[in-house]
Amino acid sequence: GDSVTQMEGPVTLSEEAFLTINCTYTATGYPSLFWYVQYPGEGLQLLLKATKADDKGSNKGFEATYRKETTSFHLEKGSVQVSDSAVYFCALSDRNNNNDMRFGAGTRLTVKP
Amino acid sequence: EAQVTQNPRYLITVTGKKLTVTCSQNMNHEYMSWYRQDPGLGLRQIYYSMNVEVTDKGDVPEGYKVSRKEKRNFPLILESPSPNQTSLYFCASSMVLGVYEQYFGPGTRLTVT
């Protein structure tokens, strides 16, 4: 079945450091890919998405590119801030699988001043 | 304001005492879903509903029931809660799953003793 694998955390960075959180997926069809962010005490909210190969999603300085050849959707940010501290989830929704949505295990990011 | 609401936000109960967690969305979304979040496991889908009166099992449906009598409401029922159902629960809704993202409620932290 469909699945998402993302790098284990926790990840701790200093402010203004470069961030990469790896995400790879397995899907039978042509999924849409998402990154969600969960701030402490809150529900998940969409950070960015990409619906087809080579699409780049971007928001709040974060970006991720849908790479079909490597089945990846890595999240990057050039300069993280303390306010980016949160848990990040990679997810896919597969139109060939009843649009079932699958989430990765989540990666906790802590940014220190 | 477009939102998904859940109640209660926090609940401590005892084994075997029936409980209901309510979920309501004001976006006229067709798709609604329940997830549980456990450390290291990410989000796992419990049940989902493609529309009114249409519900289906997710990955971990045992011990849970749902109903979808109205488009806006999707309550989660635990007929006889057990300690292994202690978790953080999220309700989510979406216009149509697939290309469109899901909107999440703030979560319900349930403890079963």
Side-chain angles (χ1 to χ4, degrees):
Chain A
D2 295 353
S3 66
V4 176
T5 303
Q6 61 182 104
M7 66 184 280
E8 292 187 20
V11 174
T12 302
L13 295 173
S14 297
E15 207 165 22
E16 299 183 3
F18 184 86
L19 169 71
T20 300
I21 301 178
N22 290 337
C23 171
T24 57
Y25 67 89
T26 302
T28 53
Y30 302 94
S32 296
L33 302 174
F34 305 84
W35 276 101
Y36 285 85
V37 58
Q38 183 182 28
Y39 298 105
E42 298 183 12
L44 280 72
Q45 54 187 275
L46 180 71
L47 180 60
L48 53 84
K49 70 179 183 183
T51 58
K52 62 183 188 298
D54 299 325
D55 268 2
K56 178 186 282 188
S58 61
N59 185 24
K60 300 180 181 180
F62 291 90
E63 57 183 37
T65 301
Y66 189 141
R67 302 282 188 203
K68 193 168 183 290
E69 64 276 15
T70 54
T71 61
S72 64
F73 193 54
H74 305 321
L75 182 68
E76 296 182 337
K77 187 174 185 182
S79 176
V80 293
Q81 305 300 312
V82 172
S83 57
D84 294 327
S85 297
V87 181
Y88 292 82
F89 291 92
C90 186
L92 71 79
S93 182
D94 188 351
R95 288 180 283 272
N96 282 18
N97 192 17
N98 200 29
N99 286 321
D100 192 21
M101 181 160 261
R102 297 285 170 177
F103 289 84
T107 302
R108 181 176 298 278
L109 169 67
T110 302
V111 180
K112 296 189 173 181
Chain B
E1 180 190 355
Q3 60 182 347
V4 178
T5 56
Q6 294 178 229
N7 282 292
R9 293 289 312 277
Y10 303 91
L11 179 59
I12 300 174
T13 190
V14 296
T15 299
K17 186 176 181 181
K18 181 180 178 179
L19 66 91
T20 299
V21 183
T22 64
C23 173
S24 183
Q25 51 94 4
N26 63 1
M27 295 168 279
N28 202 37
H29 285 167
E30 292 187 353
Y31 181 94
M32 297 186 74
S33 181
W34 276 103
Y35 297 90
R36 59 179 289 173
Q37 182 181 11
D38 301 290
L41 298 177
L43 274 75
R44 294 180 292 168
Q45 190 178 55
I46 303 170
Y47 268 94
Y48 63 95
S49 170
M50 302 293 279
N51 212 326
V52 176
E53 301 292 0
V54 180
T55 62
D56 211 342
K57 296 177 181 179
D59 295 322
V60 288
E62 294 78 21
Y64 304 95
K65 284 176 56 177
V66 293
S67 68
R68 188 92 182 272
K69 294 184 172 58
E70 308 165 278
K71 200 170 188 179
R72 63 183 294 128
N73 296 324
F74 190 46
L76 179 69
I77 303 157
L78 283 72
E79 295 269 3
S80 182
S82 62
N84 64 12
Q85 293 178 298
T86 292
S87 186
L88 180 58
Y89 292 86
F90 288 101
C91 181
S93 73
S94 175
M95 190 183 311
V96 173
L97 200 59
V99 173
Y100 299 101
E101 69 269 25
Q102 292 192 68
Y103 292 79
F104 284 80
T108 295
R109 184 165 293 282
L110 172 66
T111 302
V112 183
T113 61

